Amino acid sequence: IPLSNDILLKSFSSIHISTGIAIICASFTNFRSREILRMPCNFSHDYFRTPYDLLSIALKEQVLYTEAHMGHTMARIELESVKGALVEAAKIFNDCYECDRLNIDNHNWRLASVAGLMVISSGMPIGKGVQAAEIAVNVEYFEKVREDVVTCFQNLLSITNDLNDCETLFHLSVSSFLEWKEASSLLINLNSTCHEMSKTHAFHTLKWAKSDMSSSGMSRLKEINLRKNNRN
């Protein structure tokens, strides 16, 4: 009996996720960026915990490498190639999500890909901290992608009642996405404020750190407490 595409996607979603990652990797001209994105997520690591960490760092390395060797203009041109790969990969990740909406990996790669698209489309200088975005090449496209990011993020937040044994990963995923400053800064004032996002980040970081109890989690707790004491 032939298997439907939905059954195949749900049964072998990790293979399809790997295909999407490979498409993005092929668009990078920097070897280090490709190696970073191929890394397995390590929840106890300080920097490579989730797809948001991997993609944001890979994009930064790609831009810094190209700017150093070929200049700013070429870096923007190469990002257009990455953008095309993200569009293609996002379709694969979305298909995986549609077939299994409780799989956090599907949520994370789907959100990471559209968030990467949003950052590139904004014209924001990548790898230089949060700076004012340049005028987007296509403002209408940027706004649509930004709305897609909000939808994907809300979809991730909505699975709180179906976590089973994935609660730690869920809280880490939300916290990690909001720590991608280039992406999260572009969502401020779009159904959210800086204060609301900070509260959401602190809540999920505390939940993750207390359940994970790793050195990475403990260091994040110390950072939150330090910021809180500084405000007081």
Side-chain angles (χ1 to χ4, degrees):
I1 301 174
L3 294 175
S4 70
N5 287 338
D6 285 358
I7 294 175
L8 288 172
L9 275 170
K10 192 165 186 176
S11 301
F12 303 103
S13 64
S14 61
I15 297 176
H16 291 281
I17 292 291
S18 296
T19 300
I21 294 171
I23 290 171
I24 302 170
C25 285
S27 70
F28 288 131
T29 57
N30 180 25
F31 174 78
R32 177 163 169 75
S33 293
R34 295 195 296 270
E35 288 299 295
I36 289 171
L37 200 61
R38 290 193 188 107
M39 292 175 62
C41 294
N42 182 345
F43 308 139
S44 298
H45 198 280
D46 286 336
Y47 303 108
F48 304 121
R49 304 161 301 164
T50 67
Y52 313 113
D53 293 343
L54 298 181
L55 184 56
S56 61
I57 295 172
L59 285 172
K60 175 182 176 180
E61 290 289 334
Q62 171 66 28
V63 170
L64 294 178
Y65 171 83
T66 310
E67 286 188 343
H69 290 82
M70 291 176 276
H72 175 73
T73 301
M74 183 56 69
R76 292 304 308 180
I77 291 172
E78 290 196 347
L79 279 178
E80 288 301 307
S81 176
V82 176
K83 191 166 84 170
L86 284 169
V87 170
E88 189 176 351
K91 293 176 182 177
I92 294 174
F93 300 146
N94 188 65
D95 286 343
C96 293
Y97 160 79
E98 291 293 348
C99 289
D100 188 356
R101 297 189 175 198
L102 299 182
N103 185 310
I104 295 181
D105 282 339
N106 294 344
H107 276 276
N108 284 341
W109 281 107
R110 175 179 179 244
L111 175 55
S113 59
V114 292
L117 270 175
M118 175 182 67
V119 171
I120 294 173
S121 300
S122 73
M124 173 182 289
I126 295 174
K128 299 176 181 177
V130 177
Q131 298 184 21
E134 301 167 7
I135 297 175
V137 175
N138 185 331
V139 175
E140 185 177 346
Y141 178 78
F142 165 71
E143 291 297 341
K144 180 187 180 304
V145 173
R146 191 159 70 140
E147 290 173 3
D148 289 343
V149 173
V150 171
T151 298
C152 290
F153 184 49
Q154 290 173 341
N155 290 155
L156 173 61
L157 292 174
S158 71
I159 63 172
T160 52
N161 296 325
D162 301 289
L163 291 174
N164 297 323
D165 298 326
C166 299
E167 186 172 355
T168 300
L169 176 56
F170 166 72
H171 291 302
L172 171 59
S173 298
V174 176
S175 173
S176 176
F177 171 69
L178 292 175
E179 287 173 7
W180 185 354
K181 297 303 183 184
E182 291 162 333
S184 61
S185 67
L186 291 169
L187 299 181
I188 295 173
N189 296 326
L190 192 70
N191 300 326
S192 185
T193 66
C194 185
H195 179 64
E196 289 169 345
M197 292 180 74
S198 295
K199 284 178 60 178
T200 301
H201 173 256
F203 172 80
H204 288 283
T205 302
L206 287 169
K207 287 284 189 179
W208 159 62
K210 287 180 179 179
S211 59
D212 182 63
M213 297 301 291
S214 66
S215 59
S216 177
M218 292 302 100
S219 66
R220 287 297 195 283
L221 278 178
K222 290 179 182 178
E223 289 174 12
I224 289 176
N225 287 330
L226 182 61
R227 286 197 297 268
K228 182 178 180 182
N229 291 335
N230 288 339
R231 284 197 299 269
N232 295 335

